[in-house]
Amino acid sequence: MMMLKIGDKIKDTEDGDCYFVGEVVKLNTFGGVEYYRVTQVIWDGIDHKDDDYIGQIISPCWWYIQLF
């Protein structure tokens, strides 16, 4: 089991070439990510530097979370 901390850099992955990168801002009761601040959006392998998600605090929205 992955042990996450506030401030860890993570990948919220939809598939191999589509994911969000962010910093954990809140953990849930079970030690998983409840919220993170999006710092990068990669979609179809392309870095979308002007994406509206960048800077937002969101809940994980894709299939799995990994340390980045």
Side-chain angles (χ1 to χ4, degrees):
M1 178 181 201
M2 174 175 38
M3 300 300 287
L4 294 168
K5 303 180 304 296
I6 304 257
D8 280 349
K9 193 170 187 180
I10 59 159
K11 270 175 67 173
D12 186 1
T13 304
E14 193 262 346
D15 65 21
D17 62 347
C18 297
Y19 56 90
F20 293 169
V21 176
E23 286 184 5
V24 176
V25 296
K26 184 176 181 187
L27 298 173
N28 65 26
T29 305
F30 305 104
V33 177
E34 187 164 340
Y35 297 108
Y36 68 95
R37 181 182 325 278
V38 179
T39 58
Q40 186 178 22
V41 174
I42 305 295
W43 210 252
D44 290 329
I46 298 168
D47 188 352
H48 291 264
K49 296 181 184 294
D50 60 349
D51 195 276
D52 290 342
Y53 275 104
I54 294 173
Q56 289 189 33
I57 295 176
I58 65 170
S59 296
C61 55
W62 300 116
W63 297 109
Y64 56 97
I65 298 289
Q66 298 174 282
L67 282 170
F68 188 68

